Amino acid sequence: MSFDFSLFRENLLSHMKSKNLKAAQLSKMAGLNPRAVKDIEEERIKNPRIQTVLALEAAMELPFGKLLGKSVDMIDGELLSLLGELDEATQKQLLMTLQSLSAKKTHSL
């Protein structure tokens, strides 16, 4: 599983346009650095943290996973909240663990 920056950026820009939002406005709404969205827009940041993605989705009132192109319509609210609280190192460790579990499940089939 890899992060598709082009898809994420395309979805972000599309939703910004449909909601008539400028980069600085959205950054502020999401509680991010004032240049965060502009840096994504101009491809200076190509691997945003999950907290950034979640903050952008929340600010635009989008369902979880929408900016990533995932069809996840529902997720346990407590789980989503916990994911948003994890630091980057813990997120990476969790992702590696989940990938490992997924690989083991695939190999056992």
Side-chain angles (χ1 to χ4, degrees), residues 24-25 30 37 42-43 50 53 61 80 84 91-96 100-101 108:
Q25 290 174 300
V37 175
E42 295 177 355
E43 300 185 43
I50 189 66
V53 175
E61 300 179 347
L80 181 58
Q91 288 179 34
K92 287 181 181 180
Q93 185 178 20
L94 179 59
L95 179 60
M96 289 180 359
S100 173
L101 291 171
S108 68

Side-chain angles (χ1 to χ4, degrees), residues 61-80:
E61 300 179 347
L62 298 173
F64 176 77
K66 188 71 171 179
L67 292 178
L68 300 175
K70 305 297 179 192
S71 61
V72 179
D73 293 326
M74 292 181 58
I75 189 165
D76 182 273
E78 185 177 2
L79 176 60
L80 181 58

Side-chain angles (χ1 to χ4, degrees), residues 80-92:
L80 181 58
S81 176
L82 290 172
L83 288 172
E85 294 175 12
L86 298 176
D87 62 41
E88 190 171 357
T90 305
Q91 288 179 34
K92 287 181 181 180

